[in-house]
Structures are given as structure tokens and as C-alpha cells.
Amino acid sequence: METAGKVIKCKAAVAWEAGKPLSIEEVEVAPPQAMEVRVKILYTSLCHTDVYFWEAKGQTPVFPRIFGHEAGGIIESVGEGVTDVAPGDHVLPVFTGECKECPHCKSAESNMCDLLRINTDRGVMIGDGKSRFSINGKPIYHFVGTSTFSEYTVMHVGCVAKINPEAPLDKVCILSCGISTGLGATINVAKPPKGSTVAIFGLGAVGLAAAEGARIAGASRIIGVDLNPSRFEEARKFGCTEFVNPKDHNKPVQQVLAEMTNGGVDRSVECTGNINAMIQAFECVHDGWGVAVLVGVPHKDAEFKTHPMNFLNERTLKGTFFGNYKPRTDLPNVVELYMKKELEVEKFITHSVPFAEINKAFDLMAKGEGIRCIIRMEN
Ligand code: NAD
Ligand code: ZN
């Protein structure tokens, strides 16, 4: 490519200050250095994590910054030492990574890469501690190694998953974060046997994806639990067969679920981030075989309390990060699930805006409208 090795000038949505609307600016994007790739982003979407760090309430503020981590794009050029991907390859950027060399990457069980695991405070590249974005020579910081709210971005090669070039990037871009997290929590971690009963706590994007995972696994009953009943209608499309609103009952939701299911659900997946829901999700599984999986990110002071007898009675509690998917190894297969029409991605996409109107995606999320809003970089 004629741009390889040169600085690219392009548009990016820059967050100058916490909580202030993003502003579209011309930025300079430096060429990728060793083990880095420069990616032309075609589609990106907004996830809650972008909003948390943009609001920076209780988070380390790092500004000016380019947010964005759910996206799809094409490799423009690669730095020294990159052999796994080449210009023209279609990729999904990922907020965590897979170096393929550390003990976690070498373990068949873990996806928590030592080198590239999510770091929300770092605003620079791992290689040289510098940013690849600048405006008039002033650095603009990166976000979780991806910064996809830019027409071009630079990433560590371990943070891009090379996917089937036939996969429509305007759809599969949403598989690079929340959807895979929920899907993998059910399919890879909870592993519901065919015909089982699964409870999903929290019916946001992650919980709906967990429900989709239960549907794909062949669960016969999928019980959605949420405090917000407006979620229930939508959740039917994701396989939820029944709903429980804890506010409608004057007994603990664990008891409500036990009564509905002859003693407890076979599997539960917690996607709320609320500590009470986490405890309920564990205590509602059937003794003898029940497995609960925690996905939500709790408040920093939260403590999980339950009676140890709940474990002795052969209930299992697990937690998961990014649905236990190894980004480079496993994400291409998640895309294939969509290509084979087993995973339905379209129903997660409720809105779409051109890049110039990216702040509308933030407004929609603030109002709790829809599930995913695709931001189109080109039109
Ligand atoms: P969301 O805010 O869209 O959805 C959460 C839902 O939970 C809401 O519908 C809310 O009404 C419901 N809820 C809240 N408290 C509840 C309670 N006590 N009982 C029942 N329902 C309750 O969020 P999301 O984007 O779907 O994300 C869900 C969680 O997953 C968040 O905590 C997020 O940080 C986390 N997450 C974890 C990972 C990971 O790798 N572990 C990755 C991405 C996101
Ligand atoms: Zn690693």
C-alpha cells in the first residue's frame, strides 16, 4: 500500500474531556512499529465500557483520548516482525489480547494473556510507551489498545483476530466484545447440557448474548431475570422463554426460581455487575450439579457472601473474562458460527449512524435505547 511506512492523516472522534461530546478532528496516525499493525476501521460500535471511561467517574481519567473497542476493519500495513496478518486481511480488534507465548496463552484453559490483558489506564503502545495518534505534535491517547473511533488505528498484532473475509464487517464487528463475552460465558463456561434450564440475570447486551448461547446449546427453558421489565419483550427474540422480575415477589428470587424449576436451575449466568444478583445467581442453581457463572464487573468494594454448605451441596461457582475466548484463536470461529447461521447477530443491531453523528450513539446508550448502534466510518 502506498501509505505504508508513512503518517496517515484521517478523522478521529477525540474525547478532550470526561463526559464532553466527542469532537471529530483530523489526527495523524504514525506507522506501526515492531509487532504492531495499522488498521483501517470500517465499522465500530459503542459499548458500556467506552462510556464508563469517557465519563471517568471513579476511573482514572486519561485525556485527550480516542475511545472505541468493538469494531471491524482491514489491515493497511504491518510493522516489523508481524507474520500472522498482512495488508488486506479482515480483522476484529480486541480489547484484550493473545501473545501466544505466555503461560496463559499456552494454557488450554486460560485466555488471560499476561502481556496483552486489558489495561484501561494505559494510553500508549506497549512497545515504546508512546502514542501513535497526534494533533499538531501533541499526543492523543489510546484506549484498551484499540481506539477504534478513528478511520485508522494502530494495535499490537496480538490484539487483532483475522477473520473470514466474506463475513460482513458491518455485522460481525459487534462480536469483538460484549456479544462474545455473553455467548462464551454460556457456551464455554456454563456449558448447559441439551434440554437444561438456564437462568440469565441481567438482560443487557451481554445477558442477551448469554441467552443466545443457551438457545444455541439447546436449553429447553431460559429464564430471564431483570429488574427492568421493559427488557422482557426484546429478550424473547434471544430465546428467553420465561421472565422473573425480583420486584414482583416478596420472597428471595432464589426461592422463586427453585419453585419454578423443581429445586433450582441447571445453569445460571450473571450479567448485571450487581453483587446481590451474583449471590442470587449462585444460590438459585440446583444442588448436586448446578453451575453459576459470573460475568458482570462488580463495584470495587463488593464482597460475595454465601453459606459454604451451598458449595458442599455440589454447586459450582465460576467467573469468566471475555467468555473464555482466546481472541486470535477463537474469535474467527465465533464469526463462523454466524456464517453458518447458528448465531444470529442481526438482532443485536438496533441502530446505525454515520461517523459524523457518533455522539448520537452515546445519547442512545444514555437513554437505554436499543442494544447495539453501529457507527459507519465511510458514510
Ligand atoms: P447493561 O447495563 O446493558 O445490562 C445490565 C442489566 O442488568 C440491566 O438490564 C439491569 O436492569 C439488570 N440488573 C441490574 N441489577 C440487577 C439485579 N440486581 N437483578 C437483576 N437484574 C439486574 O450491561 P451489559 O452491557 O449487558 O453488561 C453486563 C455486565 O457485564 C456489566 O457489569 C459489564 O461490566 C460486564 N462485562 C463483563 C465482561 C467480562 O469479560 N467479564 C465483559 C464485558 C462486560
Ligand atoms: Zn499471552
Side-chain angles (χ1 to χ4, degrees):
M1 294 231 177
E2 59 193 58
T3 45
K6 298 180 189 155
V7 168
I8 290 180
K9 283 190 180 179
C10 69
K11 290 201 172 74
V14 177
W16 291 101
E17 279 179 69
K20 294 274 160 66
L22 307 187
S23 98
I24 305 280
E25 309 276 355
E26 186 174 84
V27 296
E28 297 200 331
V29 186
Q33 301 302 306
M35 299 313 282
E36 294 174 2
V37 296
R38 191 161 54 185
V39 179
K40 180 177 168 62
I41 299 295
L42 296 184
Y43 300 94
T44 182
S45 56
L46 183 64
C47 166
H48 275 125
T49 313
D50 296 305
V51 177
Y52 293 142
F53 287 86
W54 165 71
E55 289 176 336
K57 292 178 187 157
Q59 325 283 2
T60 311
V62 180
F63 293 95
R65 198 173 207 185
I66 297 173
F67 285 100
H69 62 283
E70 267 190 16
I74 298 178
I75 302 271
E76 173 269 338
S77 63
V78 303
E80 201 189 309
V82 172
T83 51
D84 271 25
V85 291
D89 284 347
H90 288 213
V91 294
L92 302 184
V94 190
F95 64 90
T96 176
E98 183 183 352
C99 75
K100 297 197 174 178
E101 281 163 22
C102 73
H104 285 274
C105 287
K106 286 191 170 154
S107 153
E109 293 176 323
S110 173
N111 67 342
M112 301 189 62
C113 175
D114 277 334
L115 181 70
L116 301 167
R117 189 184 302 179
I118 187 169
N119 180 334
T120 51
D121 290 350
R122 184 171 53 222
V124 293
M125 299 307 290
I126 287 180
D128 61 2
K130 291 187 182 144
S131 171
R132 301 284 171 262
F133 298 108
S134 60
I135 295 180
N136 301 324
K138 187 176 180 292
I140 309 292
Y141 295 108
H142 295 247
F143 178 63
V144 295
T146 51
S147 291
T148 59
F149 295 163
S150 176
E151 289 173 323
Y152 286 87
T153 188
V154 176
M155 274 173 275
H156 191 284
V157 66
C159 300
V160 297
K162 177 175 161 178
I163 61 159
N164 182 344
E166 314 243 297
L169 287 171
D170 61 336
K171 308 285 189 316
V172 299
C173 62
I174 64 166
L175 297 177
S176 72
C177 175
I179 309 305
S180 295
T181 294
L183 189 74
T186 307
I187 295 180
N188 300 335
V189 189
K191 296 184 182 151
K194 232 182 171 52
S196 55
T197 298
V198 180
I200 308 290
F201 284 73
L203 300 172
V206 176
L208 293 174
E212 176 76 358
R215 185 190 68 76
I216 293 170
S220 60
R221 293 176 71 187
I222 305 174
I223 307 173
V225 182
D226 202 300
L227 299 169
N228 177 359
S230 74
R231 294 285 185 182
F232 295 164
E233 214 33 63
E234 185 108 64
R236 282 190 198 283
K237 291 187 215 149
F238 297 82
C240 282
T241 54
E242 294 145 77
F243 299 97
V244 173
N245 184 345
K247 287 187 195 159
D248 294 345
H249 302 272
N250 49 19
K251 53 189 163 192
V253 71
Q254 297 88 316
Q255 199 181 327
V256 175
L257 288 163
E259 286 167 10
M260 285 168 73
T261 56
N262 211 4
V265 298
D266 302 308
R267 298 290 185 268
S268 74
V269 185
E270 176 281 327
C271 308
T272 69
N274 178 281
I275 186 63
N276 296 323
M278 292 181 183
I279 296 167
Q280 291 160 357
F282 172 58
E283 293 179 349
C284 78
V285 299
H286 206 288
D287 58 1
W289 60 77
V291 178
V293 177
L294 306 186
V295 180
V297 178
H299 188 274
K300 65 178 175 28
D301 302 325
E303 281 183 28
F304 190 99
K305 279 193 189 156
T306 191
H307 197 282
M309 271 321 279
N310 291 326
F311 291 98
L312 270 63
N313 289 340
E314 302 185 351
R315 292 181 183 88
T316 303
L317 177 64
K318 295 181 171 191
T320 175
F321 171 67
F322 193 47
N324 199 234
Y325 287 118
K326 286 182 189 283
R328 295 157 93 183
T329 304
D330 299 330
L331 266 197
N333 301 329
V334 179
V335 170
E336 290 312 309
L337 268 185
Y338 166 72
M339 297 302 277
K340 286 186 281 184
K341 298 194 166 26
E342 287 172 32
L343 164 64
E344 296 169 11
V345 167
E346 284 85 353
K347 61 193 179 189
F348 289 95
I349 301 170
T350 50
H351 298 82
S352 168
V353 295
F355 189 35
E357 294 171 25
I358 187 167
N359 288 305
K360 278 192 185 161
F362 281 72
D363 296 343
L364 286 165
M365 188 158 277
K367 284 190 240 155
E369 271 178 36
I371 306 170
R372 276 296 182 265
C373 178
I374 302 290
I375 298 152
R376 310 184 300 271
M377 303 308 282
E378 283 188 332
N379 46 40

